[in-house]
Amino acid sequence: MSGFTFKQFKVEHDSCAMKVSTDGILLGAWAYLKGANTLLDIGTGTGLLALMCKQRQPALSITAVEIDEAAYKQAQQNIASSPWPNITVKHTTIQAFKQAAPFDVVISNPPYFNRSLKGLSDARNTARHTDGLSFDELIHAYMRLSHEHSCFNVILPTTEAGLFIELAKQSGLYLNAHCQIKTTPSKAFSRSLMRFSLVNTLLELTSLCIKDENNRYSDDYIALCKAFYLKM
């Protein structure tokens, strides 16, 4: 099967280095969108996050940015065949991207490998490694393209999340919400869903386990994602 069929849309990902993943689904379902009119998806890949956020809040004006040409074209196709063809997709680096009006929400499932060995695929390396988009550059892009009441939703592996939180703090951002993810009850936390902003609020700290002890989706994961999964 080349694609992933959700309840309201389908995502083809055969041309994308980064396929549809649980990370992306978690972030798209969890991201804070309340009160937002405009959203920027940095490194959209298949277009998954843009489509999930549009399903959740159809009035959102969404712009998605993608550096890889093949992924950009596939995101365009996925969006064109969805119920929301008015999502805008731009083929550019986020460093070069310009927008007159700041965005209310920024969302990203960013590259995070800093020192790991690279594979043979340039596209997959670009999608997975921070060479083309460092954490500092990602934070700077958010600061440049947002306003004082905007928020920034990100998912990262636990170790990289610690580094990202520190860099965000150095840039004047506050961690407003942090949901730690584990795959099963016996496993350690492996992912962090995070929301940042310039507003200093009490940290909302939560956790979520994807599967229960019987290897079935947990009640918490179902509650978060059931609007998207076809068979949930």
Side-chain angles (χ1 to χ4, degrees):
M1 186 176 70
S2 65
F4 199 105
T5 302
F6 293 90
K7 281 182 178 171
Q8 294 192 33
F9 59 91
K10 184 175 181 181
V11 174
E12 299 289 349
H13 55 193
D14 57 295
S15 298
C16 290
M18 293 306 292
K19 311 300 183 188
V20 170
S21 69
T22 303
D23 283 11
I25 294 168
L26 279 164
L27 180 58
W30 180 86
Y32 189 80
L33 307 178
K34 189 176 179 181
N37 295 309
T38 59
L39 178 144
L40 173 64
D41 177 12
I42 299 177
T44 194
T46 61
L48 173 66
L49 292 177
L51 288 164
M52 290 183 72
C53 291
K54 192 71 168 173
Q55 177 182 320
R56 287 177 55 196
Q57 204 157 302
L60 265 178
S61 174
I62 297 180
T63 301
V65 174
E66 175 55 48
I67 184 177
D68 181 72
E69 185 174 6
Y72 158 72
K73 288 179 178 176
Q74 188 139 68
Q76 279 190 315
Q77 292 164 357
N78 286 331
I79 286 163
S81 62
S82 79
W84 313 285
N86 61 336
I87 295 171
T88 301
V89 191
K90 301 282 190 181
H91 180 211
T92 181
T93 65
I94 196 60
Q95 294 92 329
F97 175 72
K98 292 181 174 62
Q99 173 86 358
F103 291 92
D104 299 326
V105 174
V106 177
I107 190 168
S108 186
N109 179 6
Y112 54 80
F113 288 123
N114 289 297
R115 295 173 295 276
S116 57
L117 292 173
K118 294 188 178 180
L120 298 175
S121 166
D122 288 341
R124 190 165 172 81
N125 288 336
T126 298
R128 291 168 64 87
H129 293 260
T130 59
D131 299 18
L133 180 63
S134 69
F135 289 167
D136 274 327
E137 287 173 313
L138 181 57
I139 292 165
H140 177 72
Y142 168 73
M143 301 290 281
R144 180 171 63 84
L145 296 163
S146 63
H147 55 75
E148 59 183 357
H149 299 296
S150 303
C151 71
F152 186 22
N153 301 281
V154 187
I155 186 167
L156 283 169
T158 299
T159 301
E160 284 77 8
L163 171 61
F164 195 91
I165 290 167
E166 188 55 41
L167 291 171
K169 189 187 301 181
Q170 291 171 17
S171 293
L173 291 175
Y174 294 97
L175 179 62
N176 302 135
H178 187 185
C179 180
Q180 295 179 288
I181 308 293
K182 59 170 68 176
T183 52
T184 64
S186 61
K187 296 281 180 67
F189 289 118
S190 59
R191 292 290 186 273
S192 285
L193 289 159
M194 298 168 288
R195 183 174 83 244
F196 298 90
S197 77
L198 288 167
V199 182
N200 187 7
T201 63
L202 190 66
L203 174 62
E204 181 186 313
L205 187 59
T206 56
S207 63
L208 186 146
C209 191
I210 295 172
K211 299 281 186 76
D212 63 21
E213 56 276 358
N214 298 312
N215 206 36
R216 292 190 292 255
Y217 285 133
S218 69
D219 291 343
D220 287 345
Y221 187 73
I222 291 171
L224 181 66
C225 300
K226 66 182 177 182
F228 301 100
Y229 277 90
L230 196 60
K231 298 177 181 178
M232 185 177 274

